PDB file of all heavy atoms in Angstrom:
ATOM      1  N   LEU A1025      25.046   3.901 -32.896  1.00  0.00           N
ATOM      2  CA  LEU A1025      24.529   4.193 -34.224  1.00  0.00           C
ATOM      3  C   LEU A1025      23.187   3.495 -34.389  1.00  0.00           C
ATOM      4  O   LEU A1025      23.098   2.273 -34.304  1.00  0.00           O
ATOM      5  CB  LEU A1025      25.510   3.696 -35.291  1.00  0.00           C
ATOM      6  CG  LEU A1025      25.011   3.722 -36.738  1.00  0.00           C
ATOM      7  CD1 LEU A1025      24.901   5.163 -37.227  1.00  0.00           C
ATOM      8  CD2 LEU A1025      25.930   2.912 -37.635  1.00  0.00           C
ATOM      9  N   ARG A1026      22.155   4.273 -34.620  1.00  0.00           N
ATOM     10  CA  ARG A1026      20.813   3.700 -34.790  1.00  0.00           C
ATOM     11  C   ARG A1026      20.629   3.271 -36.240  1.00  0.00           C
ATOM     12  O   ARG A1026      20.983   3.984 -37.169  1.00  0.00           O
ATOM     13  CB  ARG A1026      19.765   4.743 -34.395  1.00  0.00           C
ATOM     14  CG  ARG A1026      18.338   4.208 -34.348  1.00  0.00           C
ATOM     15  CD  ARG A1026      17.366   5.341 -34.068  1.00  0.00           C
ATOM     16  NE  ARG A1026      15.998   4.869 -34.022  1.00  0.00           N
ATOM     17  CZ  ARG A1026      15.327   4.598 -32.905  1.00  0.00           C
ATOM     18  NH1 ARG A1026      15.915   4.789 -31.739  1.00  0.00           N
ATOM     19  NH2 ARG A1026      14.086   4.164 -32.941  1.00  0.00           N
ATOM     20  N   GLY A1027      20.076   2.066 -36.422  1.00  0.00           N
ATOM     21  CA  GLY A1027      19.819   1.590 -37.768  1.00  0.00           C
ATOM     22  C   GLY A1027      18.667   2.343 -38.423  1.00  0.00           C
ATOM     23  O   GLY A1027      17.961   3.107 -37.765  1.00  0.00           O
ATOM     24  N   PRO A1028      18.526   2.211 -39.741  1.00  0.00           N
ATOM     25  CA  PRO A1028      19.257   1.299 -40.605  1.00  0.00           C
ATOM     26  C   PRO A1028      20.602   1.865 -41.044  1.00  0.00           C
ATOM     27  O   PRO A1028      20.724   3.052 -41.333  1.00  0.00           O
ATOM     28  CB  PRO A1028      18.315   1.131 -41.791  1.00  0.00           C
ATOM     29  CG  PRO A1028      17.575   2.433 -41.870  1.00  0.00           C
ATOM     30  CD  PRO A1028      17.406   2.882 -40.450  1.00  0.00           C
ATOM     31  N   ALA A1029      21.582   0.975 -41.089  1.00  0.00           N
ATOM     32  CA  ALA A1029      22.916   1.353 -41.548  1.00  0.00           C
ATOM     33  C   ALA A1029      23.600   0.107 -42.094  1.00  0.00           C
ATOM     34  O   ALA A1029      23.280  -1.019 -41.705  1.00  0.00           O
ATOM     35  CB  ALA A1029      23.736   1.961 -40.412  1.00  0.00           C
ATOM     36  N   ILE A1030      24.539   0.329 -42.991  1.00  0.00           N
ATOM     37  CA  ILE A1030      25.328  -0.767 -43.564  1.00  0.00           C
ATOM     38  C   ILE A1030      26.792  -0.376 -43.487  1.00  0.00           C
ATOM     39  O   ILE A1030      27.179   0.716 -43.930  1.00  0.00           O
ATOM     40  CB  ILE A1030      24.908  -1.065 -45.016  1.00  0.00           C
ATOM     41  CG1 ILE A1030      23.463  -1.557 -45.049  1.00  0.00           C
ATOM     42  CG2 ILE A1030      25.835  -2.100 -45.642  1.00  0.00           C
ATOM     43  CD1 ILE A1030      22.934  -1.835 -46.421  1.00  0.00           C
ATOM     44  N   ILE A1031      27.591  -1.270 -42.902  1.00  0.00           N
ATOM     45  CA  ILE A1031      29.027  -1.039 -42.761  1.00  0.00           C
ATOM     46  C   ILE A1031      29.743  -1.959 -43.739  1.00  0.00           C
ATOM     47  O   ILE A1031      29.653  -3.187 -43.615  1.00  0.00           O
ATOM     48  CB  ILE A1031      29.486  -1.306 -41.315  1.00  0.00           C
ATOM     49  CG1 ILE A1031      28.683  -0.430 -40.347  1.00  0.00           C
ATOM     50  CG2 ILE A1031      30.974  -1.042 -41.159  1.00  0.00           C
ATOM     51  CD1 ILE A1031      28.888  -0.788 -38.886  1.00  0.00           C
ATOM     52  N   GLU A1032      30.435  -1.376 -44.712  1.00  0.00           N
ATOM     53  CA  GLU A1032      31.049  -2.154 -45.793  1.00  0.00           C
ATOM     54  C   GLU A1032      32.550  -2.253 -45.559  1.00  0.00           C
ATOM     55  O   GLU A1032      33.322  -1.404 -46.010  1.00  0.00           O
ATOM     56  CB  GLU A1032      30.734  -1.505 -47.137  1.00  0.00           C
ATOM     57  CG  GLU A1032      29.238  -1.492 -47.431  1.00  0.00           C
ATOM     58  CD  GLU A1032      28.860  -0.717 -48.679  1.00  0.00           C
ATOM     59  OE1 GLU A1032      29.716   0.031 -49.205  1.00  0.00           O
ATOM     60  OE2 GLU A1032      27.709  -0.853 -49.127  1.00  0.00           O
ATOM     61  N   GLU A1033      32.949  -3.314 -44.842  1.00  0.00           N
ATOM     62  CA  GLU A1033      34.366  -3.526 -44.564  1.00  0.00           C
ATOM     63  C   GLU A1033      34.986  -4.393 -45.645  1.00  0.00           C
ATOM     64  O   GLU A1033      34.285  -4.998 -46.470  1.00  0.00           O
ATOM     65  CB  GLU A1033      34.533  -4.143 -43.178  1.00  0.00           C
ATOM     66  CG  GLU A1033      33.971  -3.248 -42.092  1.00  0.00           C
ATOM     67  CD  GLU A1033      34.317  -3.704 -40.689  1.00  0.00           C
ATOM     68  OE1 GLU A1033      34.184  -4.905 -40.400  1.00  0.00           O
ATOM     69  OE2 GLU A1033      34.702  -2.835 -39.883  1.00  0.00           O
ATOM     70  N   TYR A1034      36.312  -4.497 -45.615  1.00  0.00           N
ATOM     71  CA  TYR A1034      37.018  -5.239 -46.653  1.00  0.00           C
ATOM     72  C   TYR A1034      36.549  -6.684 -46.732  1.00  0.00           C
ATOM     73  O   TYR A1034      36.323  -7.227 -47.822  1.00  0.00           O
ATOM     74  CB  TYR A1034      38.532  -5.195 -46.385  1.00  0.00           C
ATOM     75  CG  TYR A1034      39.321  -6.203 -47.173  1.00  0.00           C
ATOM     76  CD1 TYR A1034      39.598  -6.000 -48.525  1.00  0.00           C
ATOM     77  CD2 TYR A1034      39.776  -7.384 -46.578  1.00  0.00           C
ATOM     78  CE1 TYR A1034      40.304  -6.933 -49.261  1.00  0.00           C
ATOM     79  CE2 TYR A1034      40.486  -8.322 -47.307  1.00  0.00           C
ATOM     80  CZ  TYR A1034      40.754  -8.092 -48.646  1.00  0.00           C
ATOM     81  OH  TYR A1034      41.454  -9.023 -49.366  1.00  0.00           O
TER      82      TYR A1034
END
Side-chain angles (χ1 to χ4, degrees):
L1025 170 70
R1026 188 185 180 99
I1030 296 178
I1031 303 170
E1032 297 173 347
E1033 300 190 314
Y1034 165 77

